[in-house]
Amino acid sequence: MKMEDIARLAGVSKAAVSLAFSGKPGIGEETRTRILSIAKKAGYTPRRSAPAQEAATVANAPVEDAAPSLLFLVIANAGIVTSQYDRQPFFRELIHFLEQGSRAGGFSLLISAIDMARFEDDLRAIAEMHADRGVILLGTNLDKETLTRIAERLPKLIVLDTCFETLSIPFVYTNNVLGGYQAGAWLCRSGHRTIGYAASDVRIPNFDARRRGFDDAMREWSVVVAADHEYSVDPMLPAAQAAFQNKIAKLRNDGKPLPTAIFCESDFIAIGVMKSLAELGIRVPEDVSVIGFDDIAEAVIVSPELTTVRVDKEKMVRSAVRLATSLDESPSEGGMNISVATALIERRSSAAPPSV
């Protein structure tokens, strides 16, 4: 194990780990204690010079947590969750509410990430340190097999932002089917009948559930999404995308109608769609309405402001913290699932179709 691994497990920078071992100022005492405790439990002995001898001695001494704590665990570099997950708007907002909720409950929040490339080794180290602690796992990008392997090692596990009903694990998740249905039904009620769908080219269960809800609305209103109006885009690139633009340009060159509205599986996708349309001289919403999903902070920064399906991230996090801190028995034995409803937030990127 290297210093980088200790930093990842502790949810801090490599520089913070170095300061902890050297005994130098620059980090809080709680953080220093946590880093040294993690290093001890992981069996890590730093390469040190003479001035660091005292810090190394501390690392080999038993350390108790000063206050009860929760662990927020992320599996990075798998699917849409990158190693820079804390910079991705949706996950950044989740972490913000987790910090608030933990603090309000009198708990400190530990944040740790497992790199999928070192999954087994990192999971083993996490389990050795946190088997008795409540763990909130970001499940957005994870499949059933991975969740099962994690739950076997972490008995007090709560999974956030996904749900597999056939697993006996507590899940707190968004009702994505409802959100997709709300977006599709709103477009149909507004008079749209030529509707497009912008899907992520990286698939996760949440996106699939949004599609199911959207398709339910289309069936109710007897609307068929044409193959020419189906788009596959990069969900991590909130910028103009050539593949999407080429497909729109081909419709115009062939004299075929553009969709009067496009539903996007996430706000990042929606922002990219709006920028792509703007570069082609297509106005939003005068020519094409755009609806996103998530209601991230950037939804009100773009122009026009984005109509979107709101994911109540604060309520999801509050429910997960309550589960993780209130159950004395192992919660993973119960399989208690909490579904959080969505709401469509109407802003300026959507309107009735031009013909209405």
Side-chain angles (χ1 to χ4, degrees):
M1 181 169 285
K2 300 178 180 179
M3 187 178 290
E4 292 89 338
D5 300 314
I6 299 301
R8 188 176 63 258
L9 292 172
V12 298
S13 67
K14 184 178 175 182
V17 176
S18 178
L19 289 172
F21 285 126
S22 68
K24 295 179 180 178
I27 57 174
E29 285 306 310
E30 182 180 346
T31 300
R32 187 188 309 277
T33 299
R34 175 159 55 89
I35 292 170
L36 297 177
S37 177
I38 288 171
K40 174 185 176 296
K41 292 176 182 177
Y44 174 77
T45 302
R47 289 177 296 178
R48 59 192 186 276
S49 56
Q53 292 285 348
E54 183 179 350
T57 301
V58 174
N60 289 314
V63 179
E64 298 295 332
D65 290 332
S69 58
L70 292 173
L71 175 67
F72 178 55
L73 181 61
V74 178
I75 312 301
N77 295 321
I80 66 171
V81 180
T82 70
S83 59
Q84 303 297 319
Y85 63 90
D86 56 334
R87 298 181 184 178
Q88 295 174 250
F90 182 84
F91 306 127
R92 184 182 66 232
E93 291 176 28
L94 280 183
I95 293 171
H96 168 71
F97 289 122
L98 274 166
E99 290 173 338
Q100 282 190 339
S102 300
R103 189 162 53 247
F107 290 82
S108 61
L109 181 68
L110 311 178
I111 300 176
S112 190
I114 289 176
D115 192 314
M116 200 61 185
R118 297 184 293 271
F119 178 79
E120 287 297 340
D121 290 341
D122 285 0
L123 179 58
R124 187 181 304 110
I126 289 287
E128 289 174 357
M129 290 183 284
H130 302 291
D132 295 329
R133 176 176 283 123
V135 178
I136 298 175
L137 171 69
L138 180 65
T140 312
N141 57 329
L142 304 180
D143 56 26
K144 289 175 62 176
E145 179 184 356
T146 302
L147 288 172
T148 300
R149 290 159 67 190
I150 295 172
E152 289 171 351
R153 297 288 190 91
L154 298 170
K156 295 184 177 180
L157 181 71
I158 308 294
V159 180
L160 184 66
D161 196 41
T162 195
C163 181
F164 290 92
E165 294 178 350
T166 55
L167 293 181
S168 183
I169 303 171
F171 291 96
V172 180
Y173 64 101
T174 295
N175 189 337
N176 288 286
V177 175
L178 173 62
Y181 175 85
Q182 289 169 328
W186 187 92
L187 289 173
C188 292
R189 284 196 302 271
S190 299
H192 294 277
R193 294 298 180 269
T194 309
I195 300 174
Y197 192 95
S200 165
D201 60 10
V202 179
R203 304 309 299 167
I204 59 173
N206 288 349
F207 291 156
D208 294 338
R210 294 169 191 181
R211 182 66 199 242
R212 290 198 303 274
F214 176 85
D215 287 345
D216 285 347
M218 296 300 102
R219 280 190 292 271
E220 279 192 18
W221 290 82
S222 301
V223 172
V224 176
V225 178
D228 287 342
H229 297 159
E230 297 266 7
Y231 310 102
S232 178
V233 298
D234 184 342
M236 306 302 295
L237 184 63
Q241 298 193 30
F244 173 81
Q245 289 179 315
N246 291 340
K247 199 162 184 179
I248 293 292
K250 187 176 188 306
L251 286 175
R252 293 204 295 190
N253 293 338
D254 293 345
K256 295 180 179 180
L258 299 180
T260 61
I262 300 175
F263 171 64
C264 306
E265 287 184 332
S266 75
D267 286 349
F268 250 33
I269 292 175
I271 292 169
V273 163
M274 289 200 297
K275 290 183 177 181
S276 297
L277 293 173
E279 288 189 3
L280 295 172
I282 298 170
R283 300 168 300 168
V284 175
E286 292 85 355
D287 301 319
V288 178
S289 290
V290 175
I291 293 183
F293 202 114
D294 287 330
D295 196 26
I296 59 176
E298 285 77 0
V300 295
I301 296 174
V302 295
S303 182
E305 292 184 357
L306 181 62
T307 295
T308 184
V309 176
R310 173 169 291 167
V311 172
D312 195 335
K313 296 174 279 292
E314 183 175 9
K315 187 173 183 178
M316 271 206 307
V317 165
R318 191 165 60 243
S319 299
V321 170
R322 186 169 62 248
L323 278 180
T325 59
S326 65
L327 298 181
D328 292 331
E329 69 276 10
S330 171
S332 295
E333 295 175 357
M336 181 186 300
N337 297 338
I338 299 176
S339 172
V340 178
T342 55
L344 189 125
I345 307 301
E346 184 179 351
R347 298 193 180 104
R348 301 175 71 115
S349 71
S350 61
S355 60
V356 176

PDB file of all heavy atoms in Angstrom, residues 139-151:
ATOM      1  N   GLY A 139     -24.521   4.365  -5.207  1.00  0.00           N
ATOM      2  CA  GLY A 139     -24.776   3.194  -6.053  1.00  0.00           C
ATOM      3  C   GLY A 139     -25.091   3.513  -7.494  1.00  0.00           C
ATOM      4  O   GLY A 139     -25.385   2.604  -8.277  1.00  0.00           O
ATOM      5  N   THR A 140     -25.023   4.790  -7.890  1.00  0.00           N
ATOM      6  CA  THR A 140     -25.456   5.231  -9.215  1.00  0.00           C
ATOM      7  C   THR A 140     -24.914   4.369 -10.346  1.00  0.00           C
ATOM      8  O   THR A 140     -25.625   4.017 -11.281  1.00  0.00           O
ATOM      9  CB  THR A 140     -25.024   6.690  -9.447  1.00  0.00           C
ATOM     10  OG1 THR A 140     -25.372   7.482  -8.308  1.00  0.00           O
ATOM     11  CG2 THR A 140     -25.662   7.261 -10.695  1.00  0.00           C
ATOM     12  N   ASN A 141     -23.647   4.027 -10.261  1.00  0.00           N
ATOM     13  CA  ASN A 141     -22.946   3.375 -11.367  1.00  0.00           C
ATOM     14  C   ASN A 141     -22.725   1.883 -11.155  1.00  0.00           C
ATOM     15  O   ASN A 141     -21.972   1.259 -11.914  1.00  0.00           O
ATOM     16  CB  ASN A 141     -21.579   4.040 -11.563  1.00  0.00           C
ATOM     17  CG  ASN A 141     -20.743   4.005 -10.279  1.00  0.00           C
ATOM     18  OD1 ASN A 141     -21.274   4.041  -9.180  1.00  0.00           O
ATOM     19  ND2 ASN A 141     -19.430   3.940 -10.422  1.00  0.00           N
ATOM     20  N   LEU A 142     -23.372   1.280 -10.156  1.00  0.00           N
ATOM     21  CA  LEU A 142     -23.022  -0.084  -9.761  1.00  0.00           C
ATOM     22  C   LEU A 142     -24.090  -1.092 -10.174  1.00  0.00           C
ATOM     23  O   LEU A 142     -25.286  -0.792 -10.169  1.00  0.00           O
ATOM     24  CB  LEU A 142     -22.807  -0.143  -8.245  1.00  0.00           C
ATOM     25  CG  LEU A 142     -21.762   0.832  -7.697  1.00  0.00           C
ATOM     26  CD1 LEU A 142     -21.633   0.686  -6.199  1.00  0.00           C
ATOM     27  CD2 LEU A 142     -20.405   0.622  -8.390  1.00  0.00           C
ATOM     28  N   ASP A 143     -23.626  -2.317 -10.496  1.00  0.00           N
ATOM     29  CA  ASP A 143     -24.552  -3.389 -10.863  1.00  0.00           C
ATOM     30  C   ASP A 143     -24.823  -4.281  -9.655  1.00  0.00           C
ATOM     31  O   ASP A 143     -24.247  -4.107  -8.571  1.00  0.00           O
ATOM     32  CB  ASP A 143     -24.002  -4.207 -12.036  1.00  0.00           C
ATOM     33  CG  ASP A 143     -22.620  -4.791 -11.756  1.00  0.00           C
ATOM     34  OD1 ASP A 143     -22.279  -5.001 -10.563  1.00  0.00           O
ATOM     35  OD2 ASP A 143     -21.874  -5.038 -12.724  1.00  0.00           O
ATOM     36  N   LYS A 144     -25.708  -5.255  -9.845  1.00  0.00           N
ATOM     37  CA  LYS A 144     -26.124  -6.119  -8.740  1.00  0.00           C
ATOM     38  C   LYS A 144     -24.952  -6.903  -8.156  1.00  0.00           C
ATOM     39  O   LYS A 144     -24.835  -7.038  -6.938  1.00  0.00           O
ATOM     40  CB  LYS A 144     -27.215  -7.093  -9.225  1.00  0.00           C
ATOM     41  CG  LYS A 144     -28.543  -6.441  -9.486  1.00  0.00           C
ATOM     42  CD  LYS A 144     -29.541  -7.435 -10.081  1.00  0.00           C
ATOM     43  CE  LYS A 144     -29.833  -8.576  -9.125  1.00  0.00           C
ATOM     44  NZ  LYS A 144     -30.875  -9.483  -9.657  1.00  0.00           N
ATOM     45  N   GLU A 145     -24.095  -7.412  -9.018  1.00  0.00           N
ATOM     46  CA  GLU A 145     -22.982  -8.230  -8.533  1.00  0.00           C
ATOM     47  C   GLU A 145     -22.050  -7.412  -7.647  1.00  0.00           C
ATOM     48  O   GLU A 145     -21.635  -7.867  -6.568  1.00  0.00           O
ATOM     49  CB  GLU A 145     -22.203  -8.811  -9.712  1.00  0.00           C
ATOM     50  CG  GLU A 145     -21.018  -9.662  -9.281  1.00  0.00           C
ATOM     51  CD  GLU A 145     -20.191 -10.158 -10.454  1.00  0.00           C
ATOM     52  OE1 GLU A 145     -20.581  -9.911 -11.607  1.00  0.00           O
ATOM     53  OE2 GLU A 145     -19.140 -10.772 -10.203  1.00  0.00           O
ATOM     54  N   THR A 146     -21.715  -6.202  -8.083  1.00  0.00           N
ATOM     55  CA  THR A 146     -20.816  -5.358  -7.295  1.00  0.00           C
ATOM     56  C   THR A 146     -21.451  -4.983  -5.963  1.00  0.00           C
ATOM     57  O   THR A 146     -20.792  -5.022  -4.908  1.00  0.00           O
ATOM     58  CB  THR A 146     -20.459  -4.087  -8.087  1.00  0.00           C
ATOM     59  OG1 THR A 146     -19.860  -4.464  -9.335  1.00  0.00           O
ATOM     60  CG2 THR A 146     -19.479  -3.219  -7.310  1.00  0.00           C
ATOM     61  N   LEU A 147     -22.731  -4.636  -5.977  1.00  0.00           N
ATOM     62  CA  LEU A 147     -23.418  -4.289  -4.735  1.00  0.00           C
ATOM     63  C   LEU A 147     -23.447  -5.467  -3.772  1.00  0.00           C
ATOM     64  O   LEU A 147     -23.258  -5.294  -2.552  1.00  0.00           O
ATOM     65  CB  LEU A 147     -24.845  -3.828  -5.039  1.00  0.00           C
ATOM     66  CG  LEU A 147     -24.974  -2.452  -5.702  1.00  0.00           C
ATOM     67  CD1 LEU A 147     -26.419  -2.208  -6.132  1.00  0.00           C
ATOM     68  CD2 LEU A 147     -24.516  -1.345  -4.753  1.00  0.00           C
ATOM     69  N   THR A 148     -23.663  -6.651  -4.291  1.00  0.00           N
ATOM     70  CA  THR A 148     -23.695  -7.843  -3.442  1.00  0.00           C
ATOM     71  C   THR A 148     -22.352  -8.069  -2.778  1.00  0.00           C
ATOM     72  O   THR A 148     -22.271  -8.365  -1.574  1.00  0.00           O
ATOM     73  CB  THR A 148     -24.090  -9.073  -4.268  1.00  0.00           C
ATOM     74  OG1 THR A 148     -25.395  -8.866  -4.834  1.00  0.00           O
ATOM     75  CG2 THR A 148     -24.111 -10.328  -3.414  1.00  0.00           C
ATOM     76  N   ARG A 149     -21.263  -7.916  -3.523  1.00  0.00           N
ATOM     77  CA  ARG A 149     -19.926  -8.123  -2.969  1.00  0.00           C
ATOM     78  C   ARG A 149     -19.617  -7.096  -1.895  1.00  0.00           C
ATOM     79  O   ARG A 149     -18.989  -7.413  -0.871  1.00  0.00           O
ATOM     80  CB  ARG A 149     -18.900  -8.058  -4.097  1.00  0.00           C
ATOM     81  CG  ARG A 149     -18.982  -9.260  -5.036  1.00  0.00           C
ATOM     82  CD  ARG A 149     -18.364  -8.974  -6.383  1.00  0.00           C
ATOM     83  NE  ARG A 149     -16.924  -8.781  -6.331  1.00  0.00           N
ATOM     84  CZ  ARG A 149     -16.196  -8.343  -7.350  1.00  0.00           C
ATOM     85  NH1 ARG A 149     -16.798  -8.040  -8.501  1.00  0.00           N
ATOM     86  NH2 ARG A 149     -14.896  -8.220  -7.248  1.00  0.00           N
ATOM     87  N   ILE A 150     -20.068  -5.864  -2.079  1.00  0.00           N
ATOM     88  CA  ILE A 150     -19.819  -4.831  -1.071  1.00  0.00           C
ATOM     89  C   ILE A 150     -20.640  -5.106   0.186  1.00  0.00           C
ATOM     90  O   ILE A 150     -20.138  -4.994   1.310  1.00  0.00           O
ATOM     91  CB  ILE A 150     -20.148  -3.445  -1.653  1.00  0.00           C
ATOM     92  CG1 ILE A 150     -19.187  -3.117  -2.808  1.00  0.00           C
ATOM     93  CG2 ILE A 150     -20.046  -2.374  -0.568  1.00  0.00           C
ATOM     94  CD1 ILE A 150     -19.557  -1.865  -3.568  1.00  0.00           C
ATOM     95  N   ALA A 151     -21.908  -5.475   0.007  1.00  0.00           N
ATOM     96  CA  ALA A 151     -22.787  -5.726   1.156  1.00  0.00           C
ATOM     97  C   ALA A 151     -22.295  -6.895   1.998  1.00  0.00           C
ATOM     98  O   ALA A 151     -22.491  -6.913   3.220  1.00  0.00           O
ATOM     99  CB  ALA A 151     -24.211  -5.991   0.670  1.00  0.00           C
TER     100      ALA A 151
END
